[in-house]
Amino acid sequence: MDLGELDGDSTGRCRLNSPVPAVCRKEPCVLGVDEAGRGPVLGPMVYAICYCPLSRLAHLEALKVADSKTLSESERDRLFVKMEEDRDFVGWALDVLSPNLISTSMLGRVKYNLNSLSHDTATGLVQYALDQGVNVAQVFVDTVGPPETYQARLQERFPGIEVTVKAKADALYPVVSAASICAKVARDQAVKNWHFVEKLQDLDADYGSGYPNDPKTKAWLRKHVEPVFGFPQFVRFSWRTAQSILEKEAEGVLWEDSPTGDQEGSGRIMSYFSKGPRTHPHLPHRYFQERGLESATTF
């Protein structure tokens, strides 16, 4: 699996896919959807689909695919290689969503939460398979949020396809297990070979599991936070763990549009993203003040 595209631009997303087997264009297929890396504060989130003809589903089950979380890294790699060897009837595609994309989406002016991002990415991959000519008859999805709502949404989007959304679908349906393996192999590779554009000094590659409650991960975050520029792009800066460290370790900020007399010390970086009311009144930028410009409320 070549993630070279991610090295060129680690701020957005990239899509990878196998060739579509000819039999998957002709025969009705079953398709599974799953993700890897939803919870970590480090690295990308990867969504994957895996599909095969309904007539060959037993062959996929014979590979002994299972929920990727129950497998070792070497077992996942071995199973992915087997799926690649069976590319005459097994196909896959995935979206790699960078930490920067995730956090800027969540902290944008128009909030785009992780559930919505996950739903839209999964929907986009199913549509991608259809656009590539895959004859999708059934879709099985590991749920994000309430499965009934998610299933109804997907069923409305794809009325000609039988859609099933379940919790723990990666342990229930082999085709979802296969998608889970594709996603986890891709994420593991992306994390292991991450290209740090920041050229960090004394980079420590031992960052633990990447999950917010891991002491080793927290120690890595504290070590690699830059007082002015914050975290490298490897970090999901919208996660509470990252925000807390940023508040403690980064320099204070005096916002230019804040009145100096009312400012009680410098503001914290994350206060810019606060959902609540501002402590100080928000004045227009000096460009507008110097020119006597005001917002028009009537015409």
Side-chain angles (χ1 to χ4, degrees):
M1 186 181 294
D2 181 14
L3 295 177
E5 184 180 338
L6 195 64
D7 290 342
D9 180 12
S10 58
T11 63
R13 70 169 74 203
C14 73
R15 176 169 289 170
L16 304 174
N17 62 277
S18 70
V20 177
V23 67
C24 292
R25 301 180 190 273
K26 300 174 183 177
E27 295 187 20
C29 291
V30 58
L31 180 149
V33 184
D34 200 8
E35 53 78 25
R38 177 179 166 82
V41 66
L42 301 178
M45 178 172 69
V46 180
Y47 254 86
I49 58 171
C50 187
Y51 54 87
C52 73
L54 284 163
S55 64
R56 304 293 296 274
L57 184 57
H59 292 81
L60 182 64
E61 295 176 359
L63 296 179
K64 304 295 184 184
V65 292
D67 175 7
S68 66
K69 293 186 288 295
T70 67
L71 303 171
S72 68
E73 183 175 352
S74 61
E75 288 174 324
R76 291 191 296 266
D77 290 342
R78 178 181 59 81
L79 286 169
F80 181 75
V81 169
K82 278 194 170 186
M83 286 189 281
E84 284 284 82
E85 292 172 351
D86 289 331
R87 62 171 54 192
D88 60 319
F89 73 93
V90 176
W92 55 267
L94 54 86
D95 271 352
V96 183
L97 281 61
S98 71
N100 187 74
L101 173 68
I102 294 169
S103 290
T104 53
S105 296
M106 294 176 68
L107 294 177
R109 286 185 178 275
V110 178
K111 304 303 179 187
Y112 188 27
N113 65 40
L114 193 61
N115 279 9
S116 296
L117 182 60
S118 298
H119 292 164
D120 291 345
T121 301
T123 301
L125 280 169
V126 175
Q127 185 61 55
Y128 176 75
L130 293 170
D131 293 343
Q132 295 299 304
V134 180
N135 184 5
V136 181
Q138 297 179 2
V139 169
F140 293 90
V141 185
D142 194 25
T143 194
V144 171
E148 299 80 10
T149 306
Y150 193 7
Q151 179 170 315
R153 176 181 175 180
L154 286 171
Q155 194 65 76
E156 181 180 6
R157 178 67 176 78
F158 304 108
I161 298 173
E162 181 184 340
V163 178
T164 301
V165 178
K166 294 280 189 182
K168 307 297 183 183
D170 47 1
L172 298 173
Y173 307 106
V175 71
V176 182
S177 300
S180 172
I181 290 168
C182 292
K184 188 71 168 101
V185 167
R187 175 176 154 81
D188 286 348
Q189 184 174 327
V191 169
K192 187 181 298 183
N193 302 319
W194 188 265
H195 176 62
F196 285 88
V197 296
E198 296 83 6
K199 297 181 171 36
L200 302 177
Q201 296 289 331
D202 302 320
L203 175 62
D204 181 5
D206 186 11
Y207 28 72
S209 66
Y211 280 86
N213 59 351
D214 186 337
K216 189 174 287 188
T217 299
K218 290 181 180 179
W220 189 93
L221 287 168
R222 284 191 290 269
K223 178 179 178 180
H224 292 291
V225 61
E226 212 285 330
V228 175
F229 296 103
F231 293 108
Q233 292 178 355
F234 187 54
V235 178
R236 302 181 192 178
F237 55 85
S238 57
W239 260 231
R240 174 54 58 188
T241 300
Q243 291 183 4
S244 297
I245 292 174
L246 195 63
E247 291 282 4
K248 294 176 182 177
E249 305 293 338
E251 294 294 335
V253 176
L254 177 64
W255 299 108
E256 190 178 81
D257 61 355
S258 298
T260 305
D262 294 340
Q263 187 78 13
E264 299 176 2
S266 55
R268 282 298 188 174
I269 288 175
M270 293 311 300
S271 66
Y272 181 77
F273 301 106
S274 173
K275 295 179 181 178
R278 290 175 178 261
T279 306
H280 307 289
H282 181 80
L283 296 180
H285 189 275
R286 72 166 182 269
Y287 174 90
F288 300 98
Q289 294 186 57
E290 291 171 354
R291 289 162 178 78
L293 299 177
E294 297 179 357
S295 301
T297 56
T298 58
F299 294 93

